[in-house]
Amino acid sequence: MQLETQRLILRPFELTDDQAIYEYAKDPAIGPIAGWPVHTSVANSRELIQNYLMAEGIYSVNLKTTPQHAIGSVGLELVKNGGGQPFMGENDAEIGYWIGVPYWGQGLIPEASKAILAYGFETLKLDNIWCGYYDGNQQSKRAQEKLGFQPELTIDEMYNPLLDDTRQEHFTKMTKKQWLALNN
């Protein structure tokens, strides 16, 4: 399934996205602040695509002007499929996203996230969609605020196995009722 916004095409990942993903994911400004290691090779990016990004509900973010060039990802991890966090409900999901540095500050992630939120609440009939950001990640915090997510929970020592570290993580949440109020 493919989703479209004014400026974007959100489509399932393909293994051939490996070079484009590596182009952005090798930048140390992206991965560590989002909770994953800097990519060290195209093969590293291909492995991430194959093992995670090709999952149902995860989409490649592409400009309509260059629909075959992935510039980031956005998607939902459904609790009922093993995603999310232990404190989330069975009919909840966690949204995750990132975008290459050259595209920061253009409102592309909020635009992509709005399409994913609509998909989650309208098509999947989710009760709540959660989002998290590590302390200090102001870009992600601002994106969540723009979307209408509300602060819900802070975990002072959240273990991240991908980086083998512990950080403060803030979780925000949007209920279906809040989403409907924002979109009617």
Side-chain angles (χ1 to χ4, degrees):
M1 184 173 96
Q2 182 172 294
L3 304 171
E4 289 192 30
T5 70
Q6 181 181 350
R7 300 178 289 172
L8 301 171
I9 292 175
L10 309 177
R11 61 166 174 78
F13 271 92
E14 301 167 357
L15 288 178
T16 54
D17 292 319
D18 57 356
Q19 183 65 48
I21 291 300
Y22 176 65
E23 180 180 336
Y24 304 113
K26 69 181 179 181
D27 188 327
I30 296 187
I33 200 160
W36 41 270
V38 173
H39 288 205
T40 56
S41 67
V42 173
N44 182 212
S45 295
R46 187 177 316 111
E47 182 180 334
L48 174 76
I49 291 167
Q50 189 168 21
N51 295 332
Y52 176 72
L53 295 176
M54 290 179 89
E56 180 183 355
I58 309 293
Y59 295 89
S60 169
V61 176
N62 306 270
L63 295 171
K64 282 186 172 178
T65 55
T66 54
Q68 290 306 312
H69 184 76
I71 61 171
S73 74
V74 64
L76 293 172
E77 293 183 39
L78 303 176
V79 171
K80 65 183 173 188
N81 291 346
Q85 303 293 332
F87 53 82
M88 296 176 186
E90 182 66 21
N91 199 40
D92 291 0
E94 184 173 4
I95 189 172
Y97 51 78
W98 69 271
I99 196 163
V101 172
Y103 304 97
W104 285 8
Q106 299 177 34
L108 296 171
I109 284 299
E111 184 176 324
S113 295
K114 284 179 184 176
I116 295 296
L117 289 168
Y119 172 69
F121 286 123
E122 292 176 10
T123 304
L124 299 179
K125 309 291 187 206
L126 296 172
D127 295 332
N128 304 292
I129 297 179
W130 296 74
C131 198
Y133 66 92
Y134 290 112
D135 198 55
N137 187 342
Q138 292 303 307
Q139 294 98 328
S140 191
K141 179 182 179 184
R142 279 193 306 275
Q144 291 172 42
E145 290 170 347
K146 285 180 187 177
L147 290 164
F149 280 87
Q150 299 297 310
E152 185 71 23
L153 167 70
T154 295
I155 298 177
D156 288 326
E157 295 186 10
M158 184 77 162
Y159 178 67
N160 179 331
L162 296 176
L163 294 174
D164 191 28
D165 69 6
T166 302
R167 305 174 183 189
Q168 185 178 62
E169 187 166 2
H170 305 279
F171 289 92
T172 61
K173 180 172 87 171
M174 183 180 297
T175 66
K176 185 170 191 171
K177 183 178 178 180
Q178 289 167 331
W179 181 80
L180 288 169
L182 289 169
N183 293 282
N184 284 327

